[in-house]
Amino acid sequence: MRKFNIRKVLDGLTAGSSSASQQPPPPQHASGTREPEIQETLQSEHFQLCKTVRHGFPYQPSALAFDPVQKILAVGTQTGALRLFGRPGVECYCQHDSGAAVIQLQFLINEGALVSALADDTLHLWNLRQKRPAILHSLKFCRERVTFCHLPFQSKWLYVGTERGNIHIVNVESFTLSGYVIMWNKAIELSSKSHPGPVVHISDNPMDEGKLLIGFESGTVVLWDLKSKKADYRYTYDEAIHSVAWHHEGKQFICSHSDGTLTTWNVRSPAKPVQTITPHGKQLKDGKKPEPCKPILKVEFKTTRSGEPFIILSGGLSYDTVGRRPCLTVMHGKSTAVLEMDYSIVDFLTLCETPYPNDFQEPYAVVVLLEKDLVLIDLAQNGYPIFENPYPLSIHESPVTCCEYFADCPVDLIPALYSVGARQKRQGYSKKEWPINGGNWGLGAQSYPEIIITGHADGSIKFWDASAITLQVLYKLKTSKVFEKSRNKDDRPNTDIVDEDPYAIQIISWCPESRMLCIAGVSAHVIIYRFSKQEVITEVIPMLEVRLLYEINDMESPEVEQAPPLPTPVGGANPQPIPPQSHPSTSSSSSDGLRDNVPCLKVKSSPLKQSPGYQTELVIQLVWVGGEPPQQITSLAVNSSYGLAVFGNCNGIALVDYLQKAVLLNLGTIELYGSNDPYRREPRSPRKSRQPSGAGLCDISEGTVVPEDRCKSPTSAKMSRKLSLPTDLKPDLDIKDNSFSRSRSSSVTSIDKETREAISALHFCETFTRKADSSPSPCLWVGTTLGTVLVIALNLPPGGEQRLLQPVIVSPSGTILRLKGAILRMAFLDTTGCLVPPAYESWREHNVPEEKDEKEKLKKRRPVSVSPSSSQEISENQYAVICSEKQAKVISLPTQNCAYKQNITETSFVLRGDIVALSNSICLACFCANGHIMTFSLPSLRPLLDVYYLPLTNMRIARTFCFTNNGQALYLVSPTEIQRLTYSQETCENLQEMLGELFTPVETPEAPNRGFFKGLFGGGAQSLDREELFGESSSGKASRSLAQHIPGPGGIEGVKGAASGVVGELARARLALDERGQKLGDLEERTAAMLSSADAFSKHAHEMMLKYKDKKWYQF
């Protein structure tokens, strides 16, 4: 039988009763007076959507390259992304359209270009001479799979090895194949009876460009003579090869093998290696071979003028080191250093002083690309310390569980956070400057401060300076410090409702002006923090425990008019006598053995040393009730002016006075309605049909019946089980094929679900509480998942000492407003259409004793309201802007008439809605589950922007997407990266100037001096005319079916259209040079013609001179 949905009927009634539900006619008050016309300045042309920058560690990295002259680092990923890093603050993100994994990267050193090889057998040439790099050419191999590439320094011919064992040669200027091919059977001839396997290495002899060293997977190495087109030497070893490295003199090379051995070969002695060592193998006494070890995946051989060479390798550990972390081994002379890494090694590169392979390399650092980190090791200092990483790559140090973004913050905030964060810096880093320092910063047109706050699974919170499209960590707060930690699993209290990460942050509420911070965690805990520059020792951590349960009982339910009773505060910090509790309490274990009145976490009982920065003001915990775990917190707000914090979940709402450390309100959601409840709800026991495992907190726990595809978030395997949206109360979020397909509110049809009404939005403000109010007063607006907005009146005592002695009186006002879908965001406008921010108290240092004058001032002080409404005349009104999952309404206050209404989406639902400032005006910005980003004018709710941007493919995006002022927005695009975007036309236009430049004109270092004797006896580097060898004239054309050339979007036209700035000027200069070259060519031809003409003229003149030599002047 189809269940009856009351909500649609009620929506119809409210829409019918509102005389302003339609937009075309001018909105009317109930009294018949017209709404005052507000001049709206925002138009559609003020909006444009584009990505700005991507911060964080490249997700799933797969390849690494470095330009030693430009000092630029490139990282490729398994999803086809390309990240380029220069000096701190110079970063760039590009994406291959195919999304195929990047298997190798090769810089055209000091040319401002990069070649990428992908797993789909395509090669791409990237132009880095523009601020947003673009592909100039692509080459798709059709018949062979690409396995390895090598581009010699200052060469335009790229060697490409394939799975079949063949080597093709590509001209990187035209991106066409040469007819010259080295076939595998020609390379090995009769030295092996079987196929040698794919090409795993290609390099030219540092001293002779005409000799190419080819490594095949099976263990065969061939030195190929490019001119004679035959193999000079073949080296065979019975273990598979992973990598090969040359000594700079070109007489020796080292191979790394799958059994953990390194073999060193003399070029002219192919019979057997000069030396075979197993760096991590146990040497057996009787001369037997050492035990085999894990494969050495890569080896590098770097020489120094003044000392022993460096041999650096990854892998090769013995098999009995179970559980040992991945290692990088540095062998220097007789010393061997084994450097343990936190994650597995993807690749590493040694940074050297010279780009020339035939000179002493002089290595100074090793850059190690790990699975989840980038480490740079200083080779010049004893103990090989690491460099302090200046890039914002630690976003994912613990998985990100929520994000907040604040643009246009108070100017003193970033320096204050930086000064307390500077004390947290680790010691023991290398004293040298970060060596990857290429590129130039952009011109920061944005001057306003921006802060990003990330909440993490381990309970930590990080504050980031995000001004002018950069990112830098300012300060880290560990919220878990106030709790007792269990040393092992057996020691863990049985009240835990989460297997892992019990401190994970779910919601952050922050007031930048007062610097008050409030967080809600996964174990149903709330912590309120104050900012202080002084260190303090807190003897007893102030603590409150709250019983919030869903239970209808007429006997105990307080009347709406009554001041709500208060539950017992815990921790002895309450100056008032303890009032009776709102619900009958039992001891911590009730008569039937069920857990009762116990929180999930245990607050430390010992004194707590609190460093400068954020310091705990109050810890609030929801407790177990009759064997039932507390439900996760779904909404949170804090107000510094009122000294209040409020939070709610699917059971109800709790309002706390953090100054007096007292609970002011503790009501079930139904009790908030009083007699105005529009729903018919069945009284039910809190223990009926509920999982005792706390499924409200854990998104998916082992043994629960929650469908496993509720939350497919790739943030991390462990996080996806636990956290979904900040409001994990969406019973009908259908995720099919990893995307959201159904509307939430349309599927809430059962009365049972409707009774589980959760608090989804909270907003403190100074406005009109009731229709009859003549002036605004402090109040709290409460939004629920069923689209109801309720108003609670706040009666605050005078400021100063009275504020700490007299109670705050709280009472539901009876005002109820209705919308379709769960309420997401509320805000208030004054009569001119300007935003009325919540009242706040400016920050001051609380830990310094105040002078007498200050105390007098404080006594007289009342809560500061920045609301312009408080000084307005009685006749002037306000507007409440309410955004739900389905629609937005602008309500005129105090009349409570609906002035404007906009149905945002019918088939989807809004995930995030924010009221933001832009171009000296304000608008409502929404992100829908169907991928649309929309903006609406205020107060009239005219649609200004509607762009399909990003389909919601996982809960991570839903959990982290947020808009802020000045047209900025962000979300977590991968578990390790933040993507920032803008919806402001002005920012889009200025973006090109703000972006950094990767390429800067740098002189290539001089080639090494050959010396007199080497020049005399021919011992120096041998050059090769590759053009003559690989060009079409000598090697012919390659087979057309072998590879297909695809011109890229960043060709000459792309360069011509390269945006303004230095790179654009360089591109134009280069074009001008090309044109000049052509003109010079024409000039040369004309000059040659003139020379021949002059020569002819000279001959003719000479003949004339001879003819008339002996004649007198008068004989002419």
Side-chain angles (χ1 to χ4, degrees):
M1 186 181 135
R2 193 169 163 273
K3 296 204 174 174
F4 186 67
N5 194 339
I6 302 171
R7 183 153 41 148
K8 288 185 179 173
V9 178
L10 286 164
D11 278 339
L13 288 170
T14 47
S17 64
S18 168
S19 58
S21 58
Q22 297 297 315
Q23 272 178 257
Q28 301 268 316
H29 276 307
S31 60
T33 58
R34 286 172 70 92
E35 288 287 338
E37 279 294 321
I38 292 173
Q39 194 66 40
E40 292 180 0
T41 54
L42 284 180
Q43 302 298 328
S44 295
E45 53 266 26
H46 289 104
F47 294 88
Q48 184 184 338
L49 196 70
C50 71
K51 291 179 182 178
T52 52
V53 282
R54 185 173 289 203
H55 303 296
F57 182 76
Y59 184 55
Q60 295 177 327
S62 55
L64 183 67
F66 182 68
D67 185 325
V69 180
Q70 285 288 323
K71 302 283 176 72
I72 295 285
L73 187 77
V75 176
T77 75
Q78 291 177 32
T79 54
L82 189 61
R83 290 286 294 279
L84 297 143
F85 298 93
R87 65 180 58 202
V90 177
E91 283 182 46
C92 182
Y93 158 76
C94 317
Q95 178 68 45
H96 293 92
D97 291 339
S98 66
V102 178
I103 56 171
Q104 207 178 342
L105 295 169
Q106 291 266 302
F107 273 103
L108 278 68
I109 294 171
N110 206 25
E111 289 289 326
L114 174 79
V115 173
S116 58
L118 270 58
D120 63 355
D121 311 309
T122 53
L123 302 177
H124 303 275
L125 178 67
W126 289 86
N127 174 18
L128 308 182
R129 288 173 176 251
Q130 54 196 66
K131 288 193 172 186
R132 292 215 156 176
I135 293 173
L136 290 167
H137 301 281
S138 298
L139 194 65
K140 167 81 175 163
F141 280 78
C142 305
R143 296 194 311 218
E144 296 197 52
R145 308 225 58 185
V146 174
T147 55
F148 194 89
C149 299
H150 170 62
L151 181 68
F153 178 46
Q154 294 182 323
S155 164
K156 69 172 186 180
W157 298 95
L158 174 76
Y159 301 108
V160 181
T162 69
E163 200 171 44
R164 288 189 187 174
N166 303 326
I167 291 176
H168 302 279
I169 298 163
V170 176
N171 181 331
V172 290
E173 284 181 357
S174 62
F175 239 55
T176 51
L177 276 175
S178 162
Y180 192 116
V181 182
I182 304 170
M183 303 300 286
W184 68 269
N185 51 355
K186 209 58 199 302
I188 65 160
E189 282 188 343
L190 301 174
S191 64
S192 171
K193 292 178 182 176
S194 58
H195 190 280
V199 174
V200 294
H201 179 83
I202 308 167
S203 60
D204 43 347
N205 186 320
M207 285 295 179
D208 188 351
E209 294 173 352
K211 310 288 186 190
L212 199 66
L213 195 71
I214 306 160
F216 295 97
E217 192 180 64
S218 63
T220 302
V221 178
V222 174
L223 188 68
W224 181 263
D225 188 313
L226 289 164
K227 283 183 184 172
S228 62
K229 301 187 181 180
K230 63 179 177 43
D232 281 358
Y233 301 103
R234 296 183 182 90
Y235 316 83
T236 52
Y237 192 72
D238 53 5
E239 288 293 339
I241 287 178
H242 283 277
S243 73
V244 184
W246 280 101
H247 186 282
H248 84 274
E249 289 176 348
K251 294 174 184 172
Q252 278 192 342
F253 60 88
I254 293 182
C255 299
S256 76
H257 299 277
S258 57
D259 64 344
T261 57
L262 293 175
T263 54
T264 306
W265 301 79
N266 276 345
V267 170
R268 296 175 185 275
S269 309
K272 64 171 189 172
V274 180
Q275 187 187 40
T276 304
I277 57 167
T278 311
H280 295 284
K282 289 177 183 172
Q283 299 297 326
L284 303 173
K285 288 178 183 175
D286 50 0
K288 286 183 182 174
K289 261 187 163 184
E291 289 177 3
C293 294
K294 293 174 185 174
I296 295 175
L297 300 174
K298 185 173 183 179
V299 64
E300 291 208 338
F301 191 8
K302 302 295 178 185
T303 52
T304 59
R305 267 176 221 285
S306 54
E308 299 279 346
F310 282 88
I311 295 172
I312 302 163
L313 55 110
S314 64
L317 295 177
S318 62
Y319 281 102
D320 61 1
T321 52
V322 179
R324 189 167 179 184
R325 293 194 292 184
C327 292
L328 186 84
T329 307
V330 180
M331 298 164 73
H332 185 222
K334 291 182 180 176
S335 75
T336 299
V338 180
L339 309 174
E340 286 197 340
M341 302 289 154
D342 289 337
Y343 307 100
S344 54
I345 297 169
V346 175
D347 198 359
F348 74 88
L349 287 173
T350 311
L351 309 189
C352 301
E353 296 290 353
T354 177
Y356 292 93
N358 58 355
D359 194 8
F360 285 98
Q361 299 298 288
E362 303 296 347
Y364 58 89
V366 182
V367 58
V368 189
L369 179 65
L370 306 175
E371 201 176 35
K372 292 182 180 178
D373 203 0
L374 183 76
V375 176
L376 202 58
I377 298 158
D378 186 350
L379 290 179
Q381 265 181 262
N382 288 338
Y384 305 129
I386 64 168
F387 287 86
E388 185 175 6
N389 197 324
Y391 305 135
L393 302 183
S394 62
I395 290 168
H396 65 289
E397 188 178 13
S398 170
V400 176
T401 51
C402 63
C403 264
E404 290 298 335
Y405 190 9
F406 300 85
D408 214 2
C409 302
V411 289
D412 59 343
L413 201 47
I414 288 174
L417 287 164
Y418 181 80
S419 67
V420 294
R423 306 178 198 210
Q424 300 176 328
K425 294 252 170 108
R426 272 174 52 195
Q427 302 300 311
Y429 288 114
S430 167
K431 292 179 174 62
K432 292 183 184 169
E433 283 197 9
W434 184 255
I436 302 161
N437 55 11
N440 276 325
W441 293 306
L443 303 167
Q446 284 168 287
S447 55
Y448 52 85
E450 296 175 72
I451 290 177
I452 293 169
I453 306 178
T454 52
H456 300 264
D458 65 354
S460 61
I461 287 175
K462 287 182 183 173
F463 291 79
W464 306 81
D465 177 4
S467 311
I469 69 168
T470 60
L471 195 71
Q472 181 188 2
V473 72
L474 291 170
Y475 170 69
K476 181 179 173 181
L477 169 67
K478 292 180 179 173
T479 65
S480 60
K481 280 203 306 189
V482 298
F483 300 110
E484 299 279 6
K485 288 202 176 64
S486 48
R487 300 232 163 81
N488 52 52
K489 285 194 176 178
D490 305 328
D491 191 30
R492 195 176 275 173
N494 60 1
T495 54
D496 271 13
I497 48 176
V498 185
D499 293 340
E500 303 162 59
D501 304 328
Y503 312 112
I505 308 295
Q506 281 189 288
I507 312 173
I508 297 166
S509 177
W510 187 53
C511 173
E513 288 80 12
S514 66
R515 305 184 191 173
M516 288 300 295
L517 172 70
C518 193
I519 64 100
V522 77
S523 294
H525 63 281
V526 170
I527 309 176
I528 300 166
Y529 290 93
R530 266 189 206 279
F531 185 84
S532 172
K533 292 180 180 178
Q534 308 291 320
E535 185 178 286
V536 293
I537 293 174
T538 308
E539 294 297 329
V540 179
I541 298 166
M543 182 176 88
L544 289 174
E545 289 178 0
V546 179
R547 285 171 69 88
L548 256 187
L549 77 158
Y550 170 72
E551 188 170 37
I552 297 175
N553 190 322
D554 295 334
M555 296 277 294
E556 314 247 348
S557 179
E559 294 302 314
V560 179
E561 290 78 19
Q562 270 183 290
L566 302 162
T568 313
V570 179
N574 188 6
Q576 300 177 11
I578 293 168
Q581 281 186 253
S582 60
H583 294 283
S585 164
T586 58
S587 63
S588 63
S589 187
S590 61
S591 54
D592 54 358
L594 297 168
R595 290 176 209 148
D596 197 62
N597 255 10
V598 281
C600 303
L601 302 171
K602 191 180 175 190
V603 175
K604 277 183 182 170
S605 52
S606 55
L608 180 69
K609 181 182 166 186
Q610 303 210 67
S611 304
Y614 274 101
Q615 297 171 351
T616 308
E617 173 81 2
L618 179 63
V619 179
I620 309 155
Q621 292 197 84
L622 294 181
V623 295
W624 287 68
V625 179
E628 168 112 342
Q631 295 298 298
Q632 74 180 58
I633 289 155
T634 55
S635 190
L636 179 69
V638 66
N639 186 287
S640 59
S641 176
Y642 305 157
L644 303 178
V646 62
F647 59 93
N649 63 9
C650 61
N651 283 339
I653 186 171
L655 181 63
V656 172
D657 181 341
Y658 64 77
L659 297 175
Q660 295 187 23
K661 314 289 188 282
V663 180
L664 302 172
L665 181 79
N666 176 9
L667 284 181
T669 321
I670 303 140
E671 295 170 308
L672 276 173
Y673 287 94
S675 57
N676 299 331
D677 189 358
Y679 301 112
R680 180 176 60 82
R681 308 186 201 242
E682 299 296 326
R684 72 176 211 172
S685 157
R687 286 200 296 278
K688 239 183 244 173
S689 71
R690 292 269 296 283
Q691 297 111 339
S693 62
L697 280 165
C698 311
D699 201 14
I700 295 158
S701 303
E702 277 78 62
T704 65
V705 293
V706 184
E708 204 173 323
D709 61 350
R710 261 288 291 289
C711 169
K712 293 207 172 168
S713 164
T715 36
S716 74
K718 55 186 180 182
M719 280 314 301
S720 65
R721 289 210 329 275
K722 275 188 230 113
L723 292 173
S724 64
L725 289 165
T727 56
D728 185 15
L729 38 96
K730 309 205 173 232
D732 46 351
L733 258 184
D734 264 16
I735 305 176
K736 287 176 184 167
D737 305 316
N738 214 15
S739 65
F740 290 88
S741 54
R742 270 170 64 192
S743 158
R744 254 213 42 201
S745 54
S746 63
S747 59
V748 184
T749 51
S750 81
I751 296 296
D752 186 54
K753 279 181 185 170
E754 292 197 15
T755 56
R756 307 297 296 147
E757 184 174 15
I759 307 297
S760 57
L762 294 161
H763 188 85
F764 285 106
C765 55
E766 198 155 316
T767 187
F768 300 91
T769 312
R770 301 174 182 86
K771 285 186 183 182
D773 284 1
S774 58
S775 62
S777 58
C779 55
L780 169 67
W781 284 52
V782 181
T784 76
T785 48
L786 295 188
T788 306
V789 176
L790 302 137
V791 184
I792 295 170
L794 309 172
N795 193 344
L796 298 160
E801 286 175 16
Q802 291 298 308
R803 174 63 185 85
L804 300 174
L805 297 172
Q806 294 182 27
V808 177
I809 297 163
V810 179
S811 56
S813 66
T815 297
I816 295 180
L817 304 167
R818 296 274 305 125
L819 274 81
K820 254 198 254 179
I823 305 298
L824 298 177
R825 191 74 65 227
M826 294 175 280
F828 293 85
L829 314 181
D830 65 16
T831 192
T832 63
C834 295
L835 192 67
V836 180
Y840 64 83
E841 186 178 82
S842 295
W843 178 81
R844 61 188 174 85
E845 182 58 72
H846 275 259
N847 292 329
V848 175
E850 285 156 351
E851 293 170 18
K852 201 174 178 184
D853 296 347
E854 285 290 320
K855 281 192 176 176
E856 288 303 313
K857 279 183 198 170
L858 196 63
K859 277 183 190 176
K860 294 169 189 170
R861 191 171 178 171
R862 276 199 49 83
V864 179
S865 170
V866 290
S867 161
S869 314
S870 52
S871 61
Q872 286 170 358
E873 294 173 21
I874 293 166
S875 62
E876 294 193 341
N877 61 355
Q878 283 188 359
Y879 295 98
V881 181
I882 306 167
C883 176
S884 80
E885 289 182 329
K886 289 289 186 181
Q887 60 182 193
K889 280 186 182 180
V890 174
I891 310 286
S892 182
L893 298 174
T895 60
Q896 296 179 15
N897 285 340
C898 179
Y900 303 97
K901 175 179 155 186
Q902 178 69 249
N903 289 323
I904 299 168
T905 175
E906 291 293 338
T907 54
S908 185
F909 56 92
V910 179
L911 281 160
R912 178 81 184 208
D914 285 297
I915 290 93
V916 290
L918 177 71
S919 303
N920 298 319
S921 189
I922 51 166
C923 64
L924 168 66
C926 298
F927 172 52
C928 276
N930 60 12
H932 283 253
I933 287 176
M934 294 181 273
T935 62
F936 301 92
S937 71
L938 286 174
S940 71
L941 295 173
R942 276 181 302 114
L944 297 171
L945 175 79
D946 185 352
V947 178
Y948 176 73
Y949 171 71
L950 170 88
L952 184 68
T953 50
N954 56 57
M955 295 303 289
R956 184 187 59 250
I957 298 167
R959 196 168 58 236
T960 56
F961 199 105
C962 47
F963 297 96
T964 188
N965 297 331
N966 299 336
Q968 306 292 337
L970 67 79
Y971 62 96
L972 210 67
V973 67
S974 75
T976 62
E977 296 164 291
I978 284 174
Q979 177 67 56
R980 286 165 71 179
L981 53 143
T982 183
Y983 48 95
S984 157
Q985 168 71 32
E986 187 185 357
T987 308
C988 288
E989 284 174 1
N990 294 332
L991 185 61
Q992 200 65 31
E993 290 297 321
M994 292 161 67
L995 292 171
E997 293 177 43
L998 288 166
F999 181 79
T1000 48
V1002 180
E1003 283 288 320
T1004 302
E1006 279 189 25
N1009 192 354
R1010 290 172 68 184
F1012 174 73
F1013 288 105
K1014 281 190 175 176
L1016 194 64
F1017 300 110
Q1022 302 293 311
S1023 60
L1024 171 77
D1025 188 347
R1026 294 189 179 95
E1027 186 68 47
E1028 187 187 325
L1029 203 56
F1030 305 143
E1032 204 174 298
S1033 55
S1034 57
S1035 63
K1037 285 188 177 180
S1039 164
R1040 282 191 176 183
S1041 61
L1042 189 60
Q1044 177 193 357
H1045 176 260
I1046 306 157
I1052 291 296
E1053 290 308 311
V1055 175
K1056 275 184 180 172
S1060 60
V1062 180
V1063 172
E1065 294 302 325
L1066 274 169
R1068 281 193 282 279
R1070 189 155 184 164
L1071 276 172
L1073 275 172
D1074 290 347
E1075 287 167 16
R1076 189 172 167 225
Q1078 283 180 349
K1079 285 174 184 170
L1080 281 170
D1082 297 345
L1083 185 64
E1084 206 173 323
E1085 285 171 16
R1086 286 207 301 275
T1087 308
M1090 283 171 75
L1091 272 170
S1092 62
S1093 160
D1095 198 44
F1097 179 80
S1098 124
K1099 278 182 186 174
H1100 185 64
H1102 187 67
E1103 285 165 12
M1104 289 285 288
M1105 186 267 291
L1106 290 172
K1107 186 178 175 183
Y1108 296 107
K1109 191 169 77 166
D1110 297 322
K1111 290 189 178 183
K1112 306 288 183 192
W1113 63 269
Y1114 51 82
Q1115 289 177 318
F1116 284 103

